Amino acid sequence: MSGHTRTLTDTLDRPLRDLRISVTDRCNFRCTYCMPRAVFGAGHRFLGNDQLLNFEEIERLARVFASYGVRKIRLTGGEPLVRRELETLVEKLALLPGIEDISLTTNGSLLTRDKAKALRRAGLRRITISLDALDDATFMAINDVDFPVSRVLQAIENAADAGLSPVKINMVVKRGGNEHSILPMARFFHGTGHVLRFIEYMDVGNSNGWRHAEVLPAADVAARINAELPIEPIDANYAGEVARRWRYLDGGGELGIITSVTQPFCRSCTRSRLSAQGMLYTCLFATRGHDFRSLLREGASDEQLARHIESIWGRRADRYSELRSAHALPMPKVEMSYIGG
Ligand code: SAM
């Protein structure tokens, strides 16, 4: 594979810049809006080990993606830390030419001090930890495995102590669910240097029974915070950043609000997603993926992999969230735990 970067844009002139890699479809939580027990219970068949891409396969694909201008990699799942020795994968990816940024989205349950340090040593720079409430009653009702808030807070501390920076905290807001946690979460992370991000509840997958009425618009979230802790919008860090950035006027730091439903950002979406079994998706809401595992296991050359990426991205026209805003779209979609959040 030659060292230079090839330029690749889709039909809406969007370059390929980010690769999100789901390393497993398994999770140790059963969040009601993501992997509800009724669907992902004892009867659910998760992927077997040989169905998952191995680290060498992931590394090889990532290298080809990097040759097309991918600069950022995010590891996700499922719960990525249930995949053993994830730091070994991080280490491989961190060494790839062109990759400038590697991050990880996790529920924090397995992020011990040692794990955080090992990930940092391997080349992980930053981390996003999901936490949807600050009180155990609400949080446990969501995660559905009785996991206490205190252990996620410990994970956040472990991450910061290991030098992962910034630590971002993702809170999915569901109207009538955890909206009462917005202010407690804002107060708690205000002044800590961690970046709290509120995410509009999205209609990913088919199993969460999403209803538009359960979306609390980003503008409402901002207004509620502003009423107690005044905030002002600030510029995006870079084109295509998904979170609208805000800062506290009193110097208490920054927060983000991800407006996937009320103000979609498809126009600037540069993300591709690789599922745990090697299917490539060009949209979180995609209905079909492209099988790279078969290509890899049938002995495709780097050049063949490259041409496949080129033809897929070259035809990409996805803008699901924009279309959804215009009309509700009852389409079968891939589960988030499978494609990676
Ligand atoms: N298990 C890891 C975690 O908890 O962060 C990584 C995977 S999880 C699918 C990634 C993120 O997607 C989490 O922050 C989760 O809350 C969020 N998420 C899942 N379903 C969502 C939905 N319907 N709308 C918005 N965010 C969602």
Side-chain angles (χ1 to χ4, degrees):
M1 185 107 261
S2 62
H4 67 273
T5 303
R6 306 179 246 202
T7 315
L8 188 54
T9 47
D10 70 4
T11 61
L12 299 174
D13 214 27
R14 298 169 296 190
L16 172 58
R17 287 273 175 270
D18 314 73
L19 180 61
R20 297 196 168 201
I21 304 173
S22 171
V23 294
T24 176
D25 58 333
R26 291 170 199 257
C27 187
N28 52 351
F29 283 13
R30 282 294 171 275
C31 296
T32 49
Y33 60 80
C34 187
M35 293 182 71
R37 207 172 272 287
V39 180
F40 295 91
H44 181 77
R45 293 266 304 272
F46 288 98
L47 297 170
N49 275 347
D50 56 336
Q51 292 177 291
L52 301 177
L53 290 187
N54 64 37
F55 289 170
E56 287 68 32
E57 289 169 328
I58 294 176
E59 179 194 11
R60 192 163 160 228
L61 280 179
R63 183 187 299 277
V64 181
F65 273 89
S67 76
Y68 277 112
V70 163
R71 295 290 166 261
K72 291 171 59 175
I73 291 181
R74 173 173 297 278
L75 300 176
T76 178
E79 171 46 45
L81 293 180
V82 305
R83 183 93 187 235
R84 250 175 283 152
E85 309 266 337
L86 192 69
E87 55 276 24
T88 309
L89 177 63
V90 171
E91 198 171 354
K92 289 178 188 297
L93 298 177
L95 291 173
L96 293 179
I99 297 303
E100 295 163 359
D101 185 34
I102 303 182
S103 60
L104 171 72
T105 304
T106 172
N107 61 28
S109 59
L110 300 169
L111 194 69
T112 58
R113 291 183 75 81
D114 285 350
K115 193 69 171 180
K117 282 189 199 149
L119 288 164
R120 180 70 191 90
R121 263 199 311 274
L124 191 74
R125 304 277 177 77
R126 23 191 216 97
I127 195 160
T128 300
I129 298 181
S130 303
L131 178 62
D132 293 336
L134 262 192
D135 65 284
D136 275 338
T138 309
F139 186 52
M140 289 178 180
I142 294 171
N143 66 50
D144 206 14
V145 291
D146 286 338
F147 200 84
V149 171
S150 57
R151 287 184 54 195
V152 182
L153 297 179
Q154 182 62 54
I156 292 170
E157 222 175 287
N158 294 345
D161 288 350
L164 295 169
S165 174
V167 178
K168 292 184 182 170
I169 320 294
N170 268 4
M171 170 176 169
V172 175
V173 181
K174 212 171 153 182
R175 194 198 286 276
N178 60 344
E179 59 180 305
H180 62 277
S181 302
I182 294 172
L183 273 168
M185 289 280 286
R187 288 183 204 119
F188 188 85
F189 290 106
H190 174 266
T192 58
H194 306 325
V195 181
L196 176 58
R197 305 182 334 149
F198 298 94
I199 305 178
E200 287 178 345
Y201 176 46
M202 294 184 288
D203 52 334
V204 276
N206 310 293
S207 60
N208 62 11
W210 183 87
R211 289 182 303 120
H212 209 292
E214 290 170 324
V215 179
L216 186 72
D220 289 26
V221 174
R224 288 185 196 193
I225 295 169
N226 188 52
E228 182 180 316
L229 295 162
I231 51 175
E232 65 178 5
I234 48 178
D235 289 342
N237 277 319
Y238 52 88
E241 189 173 39
V242 296
R244 306 272 161 136
R245 298 171 70 211
W246 298 78
R247 82 170 142 233
Y248 293 109
L249 294 184
D250 67 1
E254 177 180 334
L255 68 151
I257 310 184
I258 300 177
T259 61
S260 3
V261 180
T262 60
Q263 290 168 280
F265 32 81
C266 304
R267 283 304 147 113
S268 58
C269 178
T270 56
R271 279 175 292 282
S272 54
R273 299 164 186 274
L274 190 61
S275 79
Q277 62 176 330
M279 301 289 281
L280 181 72
Y281 294 87
T282 54
C283 177
L284 179 55
F285 301 95
T287 48
R288 75 175 266 270
H290 307 269
D291 182 5
F292 275 78
R293 189 187 63 194
S294 298
L295 276 179
L296 284 166
R297 297 190 181 172
E298 283 158 10
S301 66
D302 283 357
E303 205 45 49
Q304 283 169 317
L305 295 173
R307 263 196 300 251
H308 200 43
I309 293 171
E310 211 168 282
S311 87
I312 292 164
W313 195 264
R315 281 183 278 126
R316 177 184 189 243
D318 309 273
R319 50 188 194 95
Y320 176 87
S321 292
E322 285 180 359
L323 300 174
R324 171 228 287 124
S325 310
H327 9 252
L329 292 179
M331 287 157 39
K333 287 164 292 189
V334 178
E335 295 297 333
M336 192 143 168
S337 53
Y338 169 81
I339 194 174

